[in-house]
Amino acid sequence: MKIDRRSFISLGVGVIVGSTLTPVPWKLTDDISIWTQNWPWTPVPKDGPDSYKTSVCTLCPGGCGIRVRKIVDRAVKIDGLPEHPVSQGKLCPLGHSGLQFLYGPSRVKAPMKRVGKRGEGKWQKITWEEAISAVTGKLKELRDEQKPHTVAWVAGDDRGTLPQLIYRFLTAYGSPNFIRPPTVQDAYELAAYLMQGQQGTVGFDIENADHVLSFGTGLFQGWSSPARMLSIYGKMHDNKKFVQIEPRLSDTAAKAHQWVPITPGTEGALALGIAHVMIRESLYNEAFVSKWAFGFEDWTDDSGKRHMGFKNLVLKDYAPEIVAEITSVPKPMIEKLARQFARAKKPIAVSGRGQGHLPGSLDECMAVHALNALAGNINQPGGVSVVAEPDYAKWPEVNIDKTASKGLQNARVDGAGSDQYPNARFLLHRLPEVINSTKGDSPVQALLVSDANPLYTLPDTQATKAALDKIPFLVSFSSFMDETASYSDYILPDHVFLESYSDVPTPPGTVQPVIGLSKPVVRPQYDTRPVGNLVIQMAKAMGSFVEKAFAWKDYQAYLKDALKDHWDQLEKKGFAFIKGPQDIPFTDQFNTTTGKFEFYPSARNNANGKDKDILPNFTKVAIEGESGQLPLILVPYDSIRLAGGEIGNPPFMTKTIDETVLLDQTVFVEINPKTARKMGFFEGDRVRLSTPRGQAEVKLHLYEGVEPGVVAMPRGFGHTAYSKYLTDKGVNFNKLIGPIEDPMSGLNAAWGIRANITKA
Amino acid sequence: MNTNDQQHPASHPASPESGDAPEKRSNGSGWFILLFFIIGFIGSVLSGWLLFPNMLYSEKEQPIDFNHELHMGVVYEGCQSCHYFRSDGSFSGIPDLYSCSGCHQFVQGTDPEEEKFVNEYVLPNKEVPWLVYSKQPDCVFFSHAAHVKGAGMDCKTCHGDIGHSTHSRPYQENRLTGYSRDIWGYNIARLGEAKHGMRMKMNDCADCHEKETGHKGYCFQCHQ
Ligand code: SF4
């Protein structure tokens, strides 16, 4: 007998078999699985006592109330604030992802100076003193050369105290060029101003309406205050009917009670067709129209000249059979839409495509707004009102010196307010064209950009880049390494919203005016400074009259000064109500020359003075490209799961995107199966999509929900900056489209562009 | 002969010895192998039941030996005096230094543990790193309010009669997971009455819920 290999094997087998009768394998399996959850190298934030801070989300104009949970000094979760009057405790996915902006890798951590070529990504960290004196040095130099009007500032918004502060700075400095990026709000504000004589945003009391006729508005895709709309959606089946008119079966169309497909770009004609039926069948609110409206019937002016009224224009030119021809909405459907709308108690018509960040035509806005007037549902509960600009920001007049006054007499670089575009306030989309077509020195010698990312959001990225190349001095105040920041000469990084104070004016689209106060929830994570403070610091460094216009220590002091009546409540609750349309007597609500709602807007300046050009009319907005070589039409679409504007999509949201929208870095465009079949393409085919402005490689998703001949592409992809979590995913829609000027207003009214697809 | 052999290759006879010898060898070493198997088996069973549980846990002392009974004698509201619910319904858990130093700003008695507490923690303003017997992983959501206020349970149902202990017992830490031995239960087979209150593995929660409410509960109730 000998102990050999087999004995040991046998011993081993004995141990193994024996161990199955002990707790060892079972307990170890359990423990090991727990051990893997607690690997010391898995990053786990430090534990500690928790606390909550309330604030307001500023990631979009929605201004939702938020409640941030903190563990010690780290924010760990953003939730909705139930007592907030607009958002009522709801948040959109972007708001829920807010912490990824605070702690994400694309933050600019300190002031930087470009050392390589523009856009090369070579930066040098500098001190704040160096950064501020670099900017003020350049600004002083331009002022000394008597060229203050060559400075332009692109700011994300024109409402609220920060834009006011920037505006004040530019005024004291001598530049008329405060510019805000274009949105459909421009067209809406202008329509409200022309027809009702009120400056402000247009509010829709959808909560109390019973019929909502939407001309392509992405009501449930991130429009207005998206969280508010989600809560309306939750309750909508109780008492409302939603009708969505849109060339694509969008999320909103899918959720609506009825979807009416339409030829893209013809929404305005349909609105006038509906008006025709309402007038022809006497379904409009005669009491309102006869007492409170002007320009409905034909009229004679002081000089005895006859003018055509809205009624006759519509009856003559927009019979359902004609409109059916233009819009491809069948005649009986147009009649049905009109009757449904007119018979509702509280009908609302709303226009503006997608989330409302897309441009829109003035005529279309006016045509749709005219429907609200025909229904007599203006300035009523459950109707449409103009919410005046909040008047809390009032400060002493600015005293300016001679240089500034001369500078301010120059025309704006974007042409807004000029003889050609007298009614427009901002025309940022014109800027690249203006700069690129100027021979010699660029009319903009220094461009400052805050809360905006024009290199991503402006139509025609190539042209925008070329224009930026001609601007010798480019400064970004972005908190993130976005497209514009990474292409600039200096970055003076702002705090993000969870680190700083700011006021949030009433979200466009809502009726009850409310100011929100966004407050610091955590201490600043990096060496950043709020733009408001920088404006004041820059003014101080400029000296003389510019400095004198700024008596405040810092932005917070200025904000407190502006909001003094509301400050305590804002600090405590996070929001405060201010005076709104319901507080103004109905009789005082129309500030037009006639004191009425004007179907014929007498304030609409028009060179040739033709009635048809002044009344809401359908002028087909041209589309770029030849239909011969480019048989398709490319249109953009918005999704609530994609941030399509100046802010980059956070990774949390990217995770929620379907595989038929983005797969392995490639974006899908939707195409009708009939069109695809005709062109010989199949689901998932990789193709080259070309438009007159650019080309891109995309994949095809066959979808019956788009009209034949149309391809639809999501907005929000194709970032070239930010972090690796966003770069090079899909294509930026703006690369493929150019602006189309609305001839009447100068606003960008491009809704699509001709395109073709070929095998890649 | 050669040709014959080639014709009957299969009929070549095997020698009888050469057939028996391996059979005998295998019988002898078969017993031997079985013996080794039994040694391995019994050794494994014994060490699995007797050695393993002791090897799995290390023993740590609490930073301060805390006398619950003594404190119970001087507070008015029992457990709630120190382990209370906040106004928002959340449970305060183990008191922080601030709460303790309300009374123990200076040494009051003669207990060396109190002196140690004041000198090492209160004066340098350092939180006591208590070892929590009932600590659960982060993926577990547990509401004290639902159990104590909602279902009217006593603290001691789960935590044992800790309120009347005079010393802090050693904290037996699982070397792999870091959690207390209390969670699995002192008896490695998880049989019989648990020592020091309830066992706190997921199945223990589910069993109790099934008994009390008729349903084990849903995943997301605890894994939120
Ligand atoms: S809707 Fe706008 S404000 Fe509200 S949570 Fe979303 S991003 Fe923030």
Side-chain angles (χ1 to χ4, degrees):
Chain A
M1 289 201 291
K2 188 164 97 214
I3 299 176
D4 58 7
R5 195 171 57 96
R6 280 184 294 180
S7 319
F8 281 106
I9 293 175
S10 173
L11 183 78
V13 173
V15 168
I16 293 169
V17 174
S19 73
T20 60
L21 301 178
T22 71
V24 175
W26 325 114
K27 175 77 172 128
L28 279 184
T29 311
D30 188 87
D31 283 354
I32 288 171
S33 74
I34 298 173
W35 169 70
T36 60
Q37 293 169 11
N38 293 336
W39 279 335
W41 55 87
T42 311
V44 176
K46 261 217 312 268
D47 204 2
D50 65 345
S51 58
Y52 288 90
K53 285 219 167 167
T54 57
S55 183
V56 170
C57 175
T58 63
L59 292 172
C60 87
C64 301
I66 55 171
R67 199 165 163 260
V68 184
R69 179 161 185 256
K70 286 176 68 182
I71 299 289
V72 198
D73 56 1
R74 188 178 171 89
V76 294
K77 177 80 175 77
I78 301 182
D79 281 316
L81 184 70
E83 27 320 348
H84 195 272
V86 180
S87 57
Q88 301 180 17
K90 307 283 187 301
L91 288 187
C92 81
L94 187 61
H96 277 294
S97 316
L99 294 179
Q100 294 197 317
F101 293 102
L102 176 64
Y103 297 122
S106 55
R107 296 265 328 244
V108 181
K109 300 189 172 98
M112 307 255 237
K113 177 186 169 179
R114 168 174 71 84
V115 286
K117 281 209 261 355
R118 266 200 190 157
E120 203 186 356
K122 289 204 181 126
W123 299 94
Q124 185 194 332
K125 222 169 109 175
I126 50 174
T127 64
W128 275 108
E129 286 60 43
E130 287 169 322
I132 291 171
S133 70
V135 179
T136 48
K138 180 71 189 182
L139 295 185
K140 264 191 205 150
E141 187 189 305
L142 289 170
R143 225 169 107 85
D144 290 346
E145 292 167 18
Q146 302 296 312
K147 292 196 284 196
H149 56 282
T150 61
V151 172
W153 193 315
V154 175
D157 206 343
D158 64 322
R159 306 180 318 128
T161 57
L162 180 60
Q164 291 292 333
L165 195 73
I166 295 170
Y167 186 75
R168 191 176 174 90
F169 178 83
L170 288 179
T171 308
Y173 174 80
S175 165
N177 299 314
F178 174 91
I179 317 178
R180 179 200 72 183
T183 73
V184 75
Q185 217 36 56
D186 296 313
Y188 246 122
E189 280 175 23
L190 193 48
Y193 172 71
L194 292 175
M195 299 175 104
Q196 294 186 218
Q198 287 167 289
Q199 194 71 57
T201 57
V202 180
F204 301 86
D205 189 5
I206 298 178
E207 282 86 346
N208 297 309
D210 62 353
H211 186 97
V212 181
L213 183 61
S214 151
F215 290 80
T217 307
L219 295 174
F220 307 121
Q221 279 155 261
W223 175 80
S224 171
S225 178
R228 164 201 177 214
M229 293 311 296
L230 291 180
S231 100
I232 289 178
Y233 174 62
K235 301 176 209 149
M236 79 180 209
H237 292 282
D238 303 350
N239 51 9
K240 290 190 220 317
K241 181 159 175 159
F242 281 80
V243 180
Q244 183 75 0
I245 299 158
E246 198 176 353
R248 174 177 174 270
L249 179 62
S250 64
D251 292 347
T252 307
K255 289 182 165 110
H257 297 85
Q258 192 182 350
W259 168 47
V260 183
I262 184 170
T263 301
T266 62
E267 289 86 346
L270 182 61
L272 295 169
I274 291 173
H276 175 104
V277 179
M278 285 174 78
I279 296 170
R280 189 183 67 193
E281 300 183 4
S282 284
L283 293 171
Y284 64 95
N285 186 327
E286 278 195 66
F288 175 82
V289 171
S290 59
K291 187 148 182 239
W292 288 109
F294 163 77
F296 182 70
E297 303 286 351
D298 293 354
W299 57 289
T300 315
D301 67 14
D302 293 344
S303 62
K305 192 173 158 210
R306 280 295 281 172
H307 290 278
M308 189 186 348
F310 182 67
K311 179 174 151 187
N312 271 338
L313 171 81
V314 166
L315 287 181
K316 247 189 18 230
D317 291 358
Y318 295 99
E321 34 297 337
I322 303 170
V323 172
E325 196 70 15
I326 305 173
T327 61
S328 73
V329 177
K331 178 178 168 235
M333 176 59 82
I334 298 171
E335 286 165 347
K336 191 175 150 207
L337 288 174
R339 289 172 198 145
Q340 274 179 353
F341 182 78
R343 287 186 186 138
K345 280 202 194 75
K346 294 269 162 211
I348 280 182
V350 49
S351 82
R353 290 173 193 84
Q355 297 180 338
H357 307 311
L358 296 169
S361 122
L362 174 61
D363 264 311
E364 184 182 313
C365 248
M366 296 210 311
V368 173
H369 198 45
L371 291 182
N372 291 314
L374 284 180
N377 207 9
I378 301 275
N379 297 339
Q380 302 279 348
V384 183
S385 320
V386 178
V387 182
E389 302 272 328
D391 60 352
Y392 55 79
K394 276 191 192 133
W395 296 282
E397 283 277 302
V398 193
N399 283 323
I400 55 172
D401 61 5
K402 269 229 286 304
T403 317
S405 130
K406 258 176 66 197
L408 290 172
Q409 280 161 24
N410 283 283
R412 288 172 59 94
V413 276
D414 62 355
S418 65
D419 290 345
Q420 201 178 352
Y421 312 109
N423 294 321
R425 293 168 68 207
F426 313 104
L427 294 172
L428 180 59
H429 65 276
R430 294 195 70 243
L431 201 58
E433 165 67 22
V434 170
I435 294 175
N436 291 335
S437 63
T438 307
K439 298 224 165 55
D441 280 353
S442 155
V444 179
Q445 286 295 306
L447 182 72
L448 298 94
V449 180
S450 62
D451 289 319
N453 183 9
L455 192 48
Y456 179 81
T457 57
L458 278 188
D460 200 342
T461 315
Q462 277 306 324
T464 310
K465 199 172 220 164
L468 293 187
D469 281 338
K470 289 185 75 179
I471 301 175
F473 192 73
L474 208 55
V475 181
S476 165
F477 293 93
S478 177
S479 312
F480 311 103
M481 202 40 113
D482 59 30
E483 282 75 7
T484 311
S486 59
Y487 208 67
S488 49
D489 303 321
Y490 286 90
I491 312 178
L492 279 60
D494 190 3
H495 287 347
V496 300
F497 75 110
L498 296 165
E499 299 169 329
S500 57
Y501 274 105
S502 68
D503 58 318
V504 183
T506 315
T510 55
V511 183
Q512 167 64 59
V514 47
I515 335 168
L517 182 68
S518 180
K519 287 176 285 189
V521 166
V522 292
R523 62 184 160 67
Q525 304 292 302
Y526 303 109
D527 187 12
T528 54
R529 285 188 188 180
V531 181
N533 281 2
L534 287 172
V535 174
I536 294 174
Q537 283 158 11
M538 278 160 47
K540 300 224 146 112
M542 297 286 303
S544 86
F545 278 86
V546 185
E547 181 179 6
K548 279 191 210 127
F550 292 86
W552 304 274
K553 183 170 103 250
D554 55 14
Y555 176 62
Q556 201 185 323
Y558 159 85
L559 189 63
K560 224 169 148 170
D561 197 11
L563 295 168
K564 46 187 170 302
D565 301 342
H566 309 286
W567 185 261
D568 289 342
Q569 161 139 26
L570 284 170
E571 271 274 46
K572 214 163 75 207
K573 283 175 100 175
F575 58 86
F577 293 110
I578 49 175
K579 218 166 88 176
Q582 65 272 47
D583 304 312
I584 306 169
F586 185 78
T587 44
D588 294 351
Q589 295 225 2
F590 303 113
N591 300 331
T592 50
T593 37
T594 54
K596 291 180 175 178
F597 180 93
E598 296 192 344
F599 281 103
Y600 187 107
S602 35
R604 188 172 186 180
N605 285 318
N606 177 267
N608 61 28
K610 274 206 208 125
D611 291 338
K612 276 191 173 183
D613 290 341
I614 290 176
L615 286 162
N617 198 353
F618 174 66
T619 35
K620 197 165 169 54
V621 176
I623 180 163
E624 193 176 347
E626 285 293 323
S627 60
Q629 290 137 350
L630 304 166
L632 302 170
I633 290 176
L634 173 69
V635 296
Y637 72 86
D638 283 342
S639 157
I640 201 166
R641 294 188 248 167
L642 253 176
E646 83 266 4
I647 225 164
N649 211 44
F652 278 167
M653 273 166 73
T654 307
K655 286 239 167 208
T656 69
I657 288 165
D658 289 336
E659 282 189 354
T660 51
V661 176
L662 182 84
L663 185 66
D664 302 335
Q665 314 287 73
T666 311
V667 67
F668 285 82
V669 296
E670 295 171 351
I671 185 166
N672 192 292
K674 275 190 214 145
T675 315
R677 208 174 310 131
K678 224 165 63 193
M679 299 179 77
F681 291 112
F682 298 94
E683 174 71 30
D685 275 358
R686 188 177 277 276
V687 295
R688 174 156 296 280
L689 173 67
S690 34
T691 72
R693 297 281 171 156
Q695 294 201 338
E697 220 175 83
V698 297
K699 283 187 175 180
L700 291 182
H701 174 48
L702 272 45
Y703 181 48
E704 280 92 354
V706 280
E707 286 280 89
V710 175
V711 276
M713 181 189 233
R715 292 192 323 126
F717 288 123
H719 279 281
T720 52
Y722 284 94
S723 67
K724 63 177 178 189
Y725 301 103
L726 197 55
T727 319
D728 298 331
K729 280 189 167 41
V731 181
N732 180 4
F733 176 77
N734 296 315
K735 237 179 84 176
L736 301 173
I737 193 165
I740 297 280
E741 223 158 75
D742 183 357
M744 294 294 144
S745 62
L747 300 175
N748 178 15
W751 47 268
I753 188 162
R754 290 219 157 263
N756 194 13
I757 50 175
T758 46
K759 272 243 147 45
Chain B
M1 203 39 201
N2 273 347
T3 37
N4 198 22
D5 274 357
Q6 280 167 356
Q7 277 170 351
H8 306 280
S11 67
H12 196 69
S15 97
E17 288 89 341
S18 65
D20 284 347
E23 221 171 82
K24 260 192 210 147
R25 254 208 312 274
S26 88
N27 265 347
S29 73
W31 283 111
F32 202 59
I33 286 171
L34 187 64
L35 180 70
F36 269 85
F37 176 83
I38 291 170
I39 294 174
F41 182 84
I42 293 181
S44 164
V45 170
L46 286 180
S47 53
W49 284 101
L50 302 175
L51 289 179
F52 169 70
N54 291 325
M55 276 163 50
L56 186 60
Y57 298 100
S58 68
E59 207 163 275
K60 283 184 177 167
E61 290 300 331
Q62 291 284 4
I64 298 290
D65 183 11
F66 187 84
N67 187 335
H68 267 98
E69 180 149 80
L70 184 80
H71 285 85
M72 280 292 245
V74 294
V75 294
Y76 296 106
E77 289 174 54
C79 308
Q80 297 267 348
S81 314
C82 302
H83 310 285
Y84 54 89
F85 286 95
R86 300 193 192 92
S87 55
D88 66 352
S90 62
F91 184 63
S92 62
I94 294 186
D96 56 8
L97 189 72
Y98 177 78
S99 318
C100 301
S101 46
C103 299
H104 295 280
Q105 211 157 19
F106 307 105
V107 185
Q108 305 182 342
T110 54
D111 192 323
E113 286 296 312
E114 193 212 353
E115 196 180 322
K116 183 171 155 201
F117 173 63
V118 173
N119 291 334
E120 289 183 15
Y121 298 101
V122 180
L123 296 179
N125 194 22
K126 205 174 107 191
E127 287 292 338
V128 186
W130 296 110
L131 300 160
V132 186
Y133 302 108
S134 51
K135 186 174 160 55
Q136 292 282 340
D138 277 349
C139 57
V140 184
F141 173 83
F142 179 85
S143 162
H144 274 92
H147 292 83
V148 178
K149 292 190 161 175
M153 287 168 72
D154 274 341
C155 305
K156 66 170 176 235
T157 312
C158 300
H159 294 287
D161 199 6
I162 197 166
H164 292 103
S165 63
T166 49
H167 292 281
S168 298
R169 60 195 160 84
Y171 180 90
Q172 297 199 5
E173 186 184 76
N174 186 312
R175 290 180 204 268
L176 277 172
T177 67
Y179 295 107
S180 162
R181 186 171 181 169
D182 292 31
I183 304 295
W184 177 271
Y186 275 72
N187 184 327
I188 196 94
R190 291 170 51 79
L191 295 170
E193 275 289 296
K195 216 168 151 187
H196 313 304
M198 277 270 217
R199 288 187 283 260
M200 292 180 183
K201 292 291 288 180
M202 183 175 78
N203 283 346
D204 301 314
C205 301
D207 287 347
C208 188
H209 271 245
E210 189 159 37
K211 212 165 77 202
E212 299 294 332
T213 67
H215 193 282
K216 284 185 169 178
Y218 298 101
C219 308
F220 64 83
Q221 287 177 305
C222 308
H223 301 292
Q224 298 193 333

